[in-house]
Amino acid sequence: MESFLKSIERPAYRMALLACRNREDALDLVQDALCRFVDQYAQRPREEWQPLFYTILHNGIRDLGRRQAIRRCLHWFGIGSDENGDGGLEHLRDPHSPDPEHAAQVSQAYVALHEALTRLPFRQRQAFLLRGWQELSVAATATIMGCSEGSVKTHYSRAVQSLRQQLGEHWP
């Protein structure tokens, strides 16, 4: 269990950070998802852990988005305050990179990718992160996102097409 949690922590943080764009919120989302997963699903078979964890994280991200939308609405009416922060993948650079030029290129690519991902609609971004980065199956992604496998394929395809157009020279 411990090795699974360690392996999932950093990718989950990246996903949460891309979704909410706030370091503290992303850390809270991951910590909450890890705790809920251990409390509720630790006894499940190991092959179910990854989809279950990402379902929990996905739901947490969606709930946070809803809460923030309500806060923005209340703020617009002069009630409460807007707590939008900033954080990006550029803070996740490898500090041990031996080549400064390569590190600068990687940093620029991360910034470009982060900006491109934030412009994607929520469902496309989640499909891309789950399929492309986490390498989950279409079926597992559909379960996590609560939609059909066909929807996952459509969202993923549109996300890739949009990212190719937006990233241009940064696209591998």
Side-chain angles (χ1 to χ4, degrees), residues 4-5 7-38 40-41 48-67 122-123 125-127 129-130 133-134 136 140-141 143-146:
F4 169 75
L5 296 176
S7 73
I8 207 84
E9 183 178 31
R10 188 165 177 90
Y13 172 73
R14 286 182 188 138
M15 182 179 286
L17 184 60
L18 282 167
C20 69
R21 301 179 195 120
N22 181 287
R23 296 176 73 86
E24 290 79 20
D25 287 343
L27 289 170
D28 288 344
L29 283 167
V30 172
Q31 182 178 6
D32 186 50
L34 290 169
C35 290
R36 287 178 190 234
F37 172 79
V38 170
Q40 298 173 6
Y41 301 110
E48 293 180 13
W49 288 355
Q50 192 175 29
L52 286 170
F53 174 78
Y54 280 113
T55 299
I56 294 168
L57 181 61
H58 177 74
N59 290 339
I61 290 168
R62 193 171 31 193
D63 290 346
L64 177 65
R66 289 176 182 153
R67 285 192 304 271
F122 178 75
R123 304 283 282 176
R125 183 174 51 238
Q126 291 305 101
L129 293 172
L130 292 168
W133 279 13
Q134 300 307 317
L136 295 178
T141 303
T143 300
I144 292 166
M145 292 178 63

Side-chain angles (χ1 to χ4, degrees), residues 51-87:
L52 286 170
F53 174 78
Y54 280 113
T55 299
I56 294 168
L57 181 61
H58 177 74
N59 290 339
I61 290 168
R62 193 171 31 193
D63 290 346
L64 177 65
R66 289 176 182 153
R67 285 192 304 271
Q68 288 175 340
I70 290 170
R71 285 186 197 129
R72 283 191 298 273
C73 183
L74 292 175
H75 179 72
W76 190 80
F77 285 109
I79 305 168
S81 65
D82 191 1
E83 300 175 14
N84 287 336
D86 191 29

